[in-house]
Amino acid sequence: MRDARLDELAENLAAVRAEIPDGVGLVAVSKTWPAADVLRLASLGVTDFGESYAQEAVPKAAQVAEAGVAVRWHHVGQIQRNKARQIAGYADVVQSIDRLDVCTAVARAARRAGRVLDALIQVRFDTDRGRGGCGPGEVEGLAECVDDSVGLTLRGLMTVAPPGVDPAPVFRELAALGASLVAEEYLARPWLSMGMSGDLAAAIREGATHVRVGTALFGSRTPPSG
Ligand SMILES: *Cc1c(COP(=O)(O)O)cnc(C)c1O
């Protein structure tokens, strides 16, 4: 039977892939979309998926695993300490470490689960704490916390560009912070997770190693009315 949704996802994926050079990782942000769509994209070769809410991600990851499909899950949403256990249970990569208490809670949960998660520090370059992220001055302390944690492996940095401004300077600042982690010998080659559907090209120009794409792959999260 013809699967119209598979055709749609394949078309969107081809358009997104055309913008991403080899060596830049694509994380398909599947929040609000069902496990069936994750399985469709996995069948098209997508290996990495991102989720924002643990309560949505845990059952979705279980459904994908039950289908016998192995993918890598990235937690990209803000972390409440009381969700650390769920996150450490489903995620392979946690991209949104932004406070010391979050670092220690996720690290402890990972260790208890016998897991080691790849970890990114989320940085914000505006004053709006609403979307999460630490200030640039807090990166060093968080890098030390992640680096010292048995359950976490420090990989690099993540940011979400604030809406309505030119994102390029923000991405450049993240790359500069990545370079300082190299200078301080935390990492040889930091991951820079930056760029979403609306600012993919700018992020790639500024050196993104990973882009997080939702809408451009799956469609608009709010179904059109009428
Ligand atoms: C939802 C989300 C994305 C994907 O955003 P799109 O604009 O739909 O591509 C990327 N990163 C984070 C942290 C998100 O919450």
Side-chain angles (χ1 to χ4, degrees):
M1 204 179 79
R2 195 173 170 80
D3 178 350
R5 179 63 171 156
L6 180 64
D7 294 344
E8 183 184 4
L9 289 171
E11 198 173 305
N12 293 348
L13 177 62
V16 169
R17 281 225 182 283
E19 290 200 54
I20 303 177
D22 284 350
V24 172
L26 171 63
V27 179
V29 179
S30 49
K31 66 180 178 223
T32 77
W33 298 99
D37 278 353
V38 172
L39 292 170
R40 287 184 177 99
L41 277 180
S43 79
L44 297 167
V46 177
T47 54
D48 290 71
F49 292 86
E51 288 285 335
S52 289
Y53 309 101
Q55 63 272 28
E56 177 189 347
V58 168
K60 197 183 294 184
Q63 280 178 277
V64 171
E66 274 160 31
V69 174
V71 303
R72 202 158 32 237
W73 290 101
H74 298 241
H75 188 83
V76 301
Q78 266 194 285
I79 300 175
Q80 313 295 328
R81 264 179 312 162
N82 64 1
K83 296 284 164 36
R85 202 164 62 90
Q86 282 175 287
I87 292 165
Y90 94 88
D92 303 288
V93 183
V94 54
Q95 296 207 1
S96 42
I97 300 283
D98 63 354
R99 292 199 316 258
L100 286 172
D101 64 340
V102 165
C103 171
T104 52
V106 175
R108 187 182 314 122
R111 203 176 60 236
R112 286 196 180 146
R115 307 193 66 217
V116 180
L117 310 182
D118 288 323
L120 305 183
I121 296 163
Q122 182 181 349
V123 193
R124 64 176 161 75
F125 297 95
D126 57 2
T127 51
D128 177 9
R129 274 198 167 270
R131 282 184 309 276
C134 68
E138 298 169 83
V139 168
E140 166 105 53
L142 282 167
E144 201 174 313
C145 177
V146 173
D147 203 43
D148 285 346
S149 298
V150 174
L152 301 174
T153 301
L154 180 65
R155 294 296 186 193
L157 303 171
M158 182 270 255
T159 198
V160 177
V165 303
D166 177 7
V170 169
F171 296 150
R172 233 168 274 150
E173 285 191 66
L174 194 75
L177 283 173
S180 66
L181 291 179
V182 175
E184 288 152 21
E185 300 190 338
Y186 281 105
L187 289 165
R189 212 181 146 271
W191 296 5
L192 298 175
S193 173
M194 53 192 203
M196 314 187 353
S197 297
D199 50 25
L200 207 54
I204 288 166
R205 273 196 302 274
E206 302 302 335
T209 65
H210 295 73
V211 293
R212 309 176 309 274
V213 183
T215 311
L217 285 172
F218 293 97
S220 177
R221 281 187 291 278
T222 316
S225 54

